[in-house]
Amino acid sequence: MPIDKNEKQRLQEKARQHRTDIVNVTEWAGGAHIGGAMSMADILTILYYKFLRIDPARPDWDERDRMILSKGHGGVGLAAVLGRRGYFDMALLRNFNKFKSPFGMHLDCRKVAGVDASTGSLGHGMSMAVGLALGARLQRKSWITYCIVGDGECNEGSIWEAAMSASHFKLTNLITIVDRNSLMIDGRTEDVMALEPFADKWRAFGFLVKEIDGHDFDELNDAISDAREKRQAPVVIIAKTVKGKGVDYMENEVKWHYGSMNSELAQQARRSIEKMHSA
Ligand SMILES: Cc1ncc(C[n+]2csc(CCOP(=O)(O)OP(=O)(O)O)c2C)c(N)n1
C-alpha cells in the first residue's frame, strides 16, 4: 500500500533525527564511518519505523524480524537508530567506540541489544542472513530476514555464494537491500572493481531485482512492500543512494567514508541536515 502524506512526513522527520544522531555520535566518538551511514539513513529509517516487526523491550523475542547489517562498518548508523527506537538509552552513545564501551565501531550482538549479528568483516552478513532465513523456514516461523549489503562489499565472493544459495533454496523470506552509493573505501566502485551490469548479475543469480532511489520513501515503501508479498524468488532491492547524503560537504566525497569532525564541522553538518530536510 502506498504511504500517505502524513506517514511520509513522519518518516522524513525520523530520518532528519537519525542523520543528526549520526553526526552527534560521530562527533562524540572522534570519528566513524559516516559516509555510508548517511547513505543508508533512509533505508534504516523506513525499516525501523515502518516495516520491521520488532519489540525493543524484548530484543530476543523469537518471532521478531531479523535485520543484518552486512556492511557492518555502518555500525554508527545502526546504533543510532536502535537507541532512538528504545533498545537502550541514547546517552550511552556518548561513549561510542571508547574504551570499555559496549559499542565498538562494528557492533557486537552480544553487547548491544537489537543487533542480530556481529558484522564488520565484509561479505559475511549475507551468509548469516541466508542461515536465518533457512532457520525460519525449518522452524515454520513467519518472520522475515532483511540484509543490508554495501555495493563495494559486493566485491567479496562470499556475497555471491550467499546469493547463489538464497536462490537455490528459494528464500523468499529474505530481503536483501544493496546500498548502491557507488563509492567504497578508496574510490568509485566502477574504478576499483566494476560491478555493472549490477542488476543483471543479481538476475543471473536468480533474484527478483528492484532498482529504486534509496532516498525516496515512496519508492522504498513500494519496493519493500512488494518484496514482502511476492513469493517466487528472493528479492534484492538495489537502492541508489548518495554517500554522505544530507551533509553538503560530505556528499559523494570518498574521503568521508570515514571521518571525524571538530565542533565547527559538526555544527555545519547539523545545519546542512536541517536545510535538506526542511526543503
Ligand atoms: C573483509 C574486509 N575487507 C576489508 C574491509 C575494510 N573496509 C571497510 S569498509 C570498506 C569499503 C566498503 O565499501 P561499501 O560496501 O561500498 O561501503 P559503503 O560505501 O556503503 O560505506 C572496506 C574495504 C573490511 N571491513 N572487511
Side-chain angles (χ1 to χ4, degrees), residues 52-54 60-68 116 132 143-147:
L52 287 178
R53 194 173 52 158
I54 47 176
D60 296 327
W61 177 40
D62 196 41
E63 302 299 324
R64 74 191 186 281
D65 286 341
R66 271 52 168 186
M67 208 305 287
I68 298 207
D116 284 318
L132 282 170
W143 42 267
I144 293 175
T145 301
Y146 295 83
C147 181

Side-chain angles (χ1 to χ4, degrees), residues 36 71 73 120 122 150-153 156 181 183-185 243 257:
K71 46 169 270 187
H73 57 281
L122 295 172
D151 52 1
E153 184 182 10
E156 298 283 350
N181 58 34
L183 291 177
M184 41 192 301
I185 195 171
K243 204 154 173 172
H257 174 77

Side-chain angles (χ1 to χ4, degrees), residues 35-36 39 71 73 122 149-155 178-193 195 239-245 250-258:
S39 61
K71 46 169 270 187
H73 57 281
L122 295 172
V149 175
D151 52 1
E153 184 182 10
C154 292
N155 286 182
V178 181
D179 181 2
R180 181 73 170 115
N181 58 34
S182 297
L183 291 177
M184 41 192 301
I185 195 171
D186 51 356
R188 303 193 62 75
T189 57
E190 299 315 290
D191 296 334
V192 177
M193 180 70 75
L195 294 168
K240 202 160 172 253
T241 59
V242 173
K243 204 154 173 172
K245 178 75 175 177
M250 289 184 193
E251 288 190 0
N252 268 322
E253 290 289 342
V254 73
K255 69 176 181 189
W256 281 100
H257 174 77
Y258 179 99

